[in-house]
Amino acid sequence: MPQNFAGRQKVEMKKIAKQSKLSACFSKRRPNVFKKVSELSTICGVNVAVIVFSPNKERVYSFGAPSVEAVMHRYFGQNRDATTSSTFVRMEELCKAKTEHLTIELTNLLAQLESKKKVGEQLKMIRKENQENKWWTSPIENLGLE
């Protein structure tokens, strides 16, 4: 491999065979791809969309400016057969699945938040009672472990 003057070696462009190295490389490079696309959009004032499937095809990552949906609708709006296009149908399915997943996640997080708020209120009440009762003057038999 030829060596660069900056001390880094050039990487030969070929598919990585080992799955663990492939996943690690993908995880490190994906954010950089989205950053470059964002810079292109900002500097040139263009609408862009990038959709990337993970190497094991389990996850889909996307970036768009102004949004992936806006760019896809603009693209398919120019295509007369957009609603029958398999790509369009797949994009709609992915959007619905992602929306459902995020809705479930949001519902779970809101439930956790409410639970934490209730615990916080209970702690405030206990603190207030303890300050009012001056617990240190109570007989030791009346005190719990808390």
Side-chain angles (χ1 to χ4, degrees):
M1 287 185 214
Q3 188 160 5
N4 194 344
F5 287 112
R8 294 177 58 154
Q9 294 181 349
K10 290 193 177 201
V11 177
E12 185 180 348
M13 285 294 151
K14 66 176 186 176
K15 184 171 181 186
I16 300 170
K18 193 171 182 183
Q19 183 63 34
S20 60
K21 288 185 178 182
L22 179 68
S23 295
C25 182
F26 177 79
S27 296
K28 289 179 184 177
R29 290 181 179 239
R30 180 182 48 84
N32 295 331
V33 169
F34 290 161
K35 182 178 178 185
K36 289 293 182 186
V37 170
S38 175
E39 290 172 0
L40 176 69
S41 173
T42 302
I43 292 170
C44 299
V46 295
N47 293 345
V48 293
V50 176
I51 301 169
V52 181
F53 291 88
S54 64
N56 54 10
K57 313 239 181 341
E58 289 179 5
R59 300 194 89 186
V60 178
Y61 300 93
S62 61
F63 172 82
S67 70
V68 174
E69 292 81 12
V71 174
M72 296 303 289
H73 286 295
R74 180 176 174 197
Y75 173 77
F76 287 119
Q78 295 172 356
N79 183 354
R80 293 176 192 250
D81 296 328
T83 55
T84 59
S85 165
S86 62
T87 307
F88 181 78
V89 171
R90 180 70 178 136
M91 283 299 301
E92 289 295 318
E93 289 172 358
L94 289 172
C95 287
K96 287 179 184 175
K98 186 71 171 179
T99 302
E100 289 173 9
H101 172 73
L102 290 173
T103 302
I104 291 169
E105 192 173 330
L106 176 62
T107 303
N108 290 338
L109 288 172
L110 288 173
Q112 289 177 11
L113 178 62
E114 283 301 315
S115 172
K116 300 290 182 186
K117 281 182 179 179
K118 287 179 183 177
V119 169
E121 289 299 321
Q122 289 173 345
L123 289 173
K124 281 182 184 177
M125 289 177 64
I126 291 171
R127 186 181 307 129
K128 186 176 180 181
E129 288 174 6
N130 285 340
Q131 287 173 348
E132 291 173 356
N133 293 338
K134 298 181 183 176
W135 60 269
W136 56 88
T137 60
S138 299
I140 198 161
E141 302 84 39
N142 295 345
L143 297 176
L145 291 176
E146 296 87 29

